Each structure stands twice: as structure tokens, then as C-alpha cells.
Amino acid sequence: MFSPLSVTLVHGDRDAVLVDPPLTISQAEAVGEWIEASGKNLTHIFITHGHGDHWFTADLLARQFGAQVVASAGTIKQMHINVAIRERFWDALFPGQIPDAPVTAVTVPKNRFTLEGHELVIVEAGHSDTDDTSVLHVPALELVVAGDVIYNGVHQFLREAANGGLEAWRQAIDTVEALHPRWIVTGHKNKELDDDATRAIAETRQYLDTVDELLPKHDDALGFFEAMVDRFPERLNPGALWGGAVALYPGPVK
């Protein structure tokens, strides 16, 4: 029904940071039970980017656990945009399932905060599948929680890829790769796959390269969509690809 969502809990002995809380009330309830079962004190909730499926339950969970919601300035701007389109887009997809979602995120000095003395770094990556995206770098774990800059076994969201978006996304991937992570948790992933950074980066690039290859070979959204599915038959959620195909081939669907 939608791209699978990754929700990440980075924790130490006592405290924890949640990255990208989910979309619906029922999903938030499951995440809340997971946090409670961990026995950790939730100090922060970090949002990687403005798409509502990565933060609409942030305030709900922040109030439940007494945590502070943090994000980059660019992400906060995009969060407000997603609130503005919520009724005609997000609520149309999930009627009655999304809680009130005020934008309560704040920035942190120098895009850094700590977890039990370990530095967590908000790295701004620019445009990936939307504008003003960021990732969370956890150097002590050789980990990047990448939001939608990197995908893992799921069709990538291309609705905002026109007008230089693919090249900008490649630059965002370069930004993540320059952090030299060993592990990457992606915003959308097939749970059967591991979190190996080298593989996930390479496969995300390959997907964009294939888009560039196939776009000029097809005259309509359906032909492009079918060709991409043929290249990536194992990737989950072809619905995201179809939405991107329609956006990349404006005009009536043939």
C-alpha cells in the first residue's frame, strides 16, 4: 500500500535518539511500544527531510516520551510545505489515519547534538528525492541514517526528479559516501536486505543511471515504467515508480 518505512533507534546504555518517526497513528503506537520495550530514555527525535511519511507522528511521540524534535533549517521549511499539502495529498492517501502534525522541530547549534557523550552530526545533502534533505551521521558506529538519500531494495521516488533533480541526487549520494559509513539505514528498505553501505550506495546510483538511460528510449510513462520494472523486478513498491513516471512524462498517459 506504500513504500516500507524505516524507523531507527540509535541508543547507548541509557538514552536513545529516534530517527524518522512514521506516518500513521497505528504505526506510531507500534513504535512507541518498541521504544518502551527498549527501556531507553528518548532524548531527541531527528527528522531527515520534509516528506510527511518521515515525521507526521513526531509530535505525538515527542509528547509521549518528553523528547525534543530536531532537524536542519531546510528540512523544517519543507515540513511546513508538507503540512500545506497535507489535506489534498497525505490525508487523501490515508484518510483519518494521520494525527495532528504541528511542526515543532528546532535546529541545533552547528547541526550537532550528543548521545551519551557521542557526537551525532546532521549532514545536509541538498536535493535527493525532495529538496533540503539531510542524513544523521553517527561516527562512533560508522553509521549513516540516510532518510531518502539512499534507498535499499525499494523503487525510488522520482516525482521531484525533473529539471536537474537526478544530478543533484547523485551529489547527495556523494555527500553520504564521503562520510565513509560501514552501515546505512535507508528511509525505505526491503527488510530482508542488510544495511551494507557500499551495496546500498552503489544500487541507489545504479537506479538513477538506469533512469537516465531509459528516459530517452520511451515516449510515454507506461513504456518507461515497464522498462524500469523489468530492470528491477525485485524492488518493492512499483507504485512509487509509477508516480514518478507520470511526472517525468507530462501529458495524457498513453
Side-chain angles (χ1 to χ4, degrees), residues 116-194:
E116 294 186 1
H118 295 283
E119 189 171 62
L120 308 184
V121 185
I122 301 170
V123 179
E124 298 185 67
H127 181 91
S128 58
D129 72 354
T130 192
D131 290 335
D132 298 312
T133 57
S134 63
V135 303
L136 187 67
H137 184 208
V138 188
L141 298 178
E142 298 180 275
L143 168 69
V144 168
V145 187
D148 288 359
V149 177
I150 310 294
Y151 276 64
N152 192 355
V154 179
H155 283 287
Q156 293 168 215
F157 184 73
L158 302 171
R159 287 184 66 170
E160 301 177 46
N163 302 315
L166 294 178
E167 186 54 39
W169 196 337
R170 289 188 180 92
Q171 293 172 15
I173 295 170
D174 291 344
T175 297
V176 171
E177 188 173 43
L179 300 173
H180 304 292
R182 182 179 181 187
W183 313 110
I184 291 178
V185 178
T186 66
H188 301 286
K189 67 166 287 187
N190 181 339
K191 67 180 180 180
E192 302 302 325
L193 299 176
D194 63 29

Side-chain angles (χ1 to χ4, degrees), residues 17-18 20 43-49 58 67-73 75-76 79 104-108 112-113 122 134 136:
V17 172
L18 187 74
D20 283 358
T43 61
H44 296 84
I45 298 174
F46 171 66
I47 314 301
T48 60
H49 64 288
Q68 183 181 48
V69 183
V70 299
S72 71
T75 289
I76 292 171
M79 292 167 77
T104 59
V106 298
T107 59
V108 292
R112 284 165 164 78
F113 58 109
I122 301 170
S134 63
L136 187 67

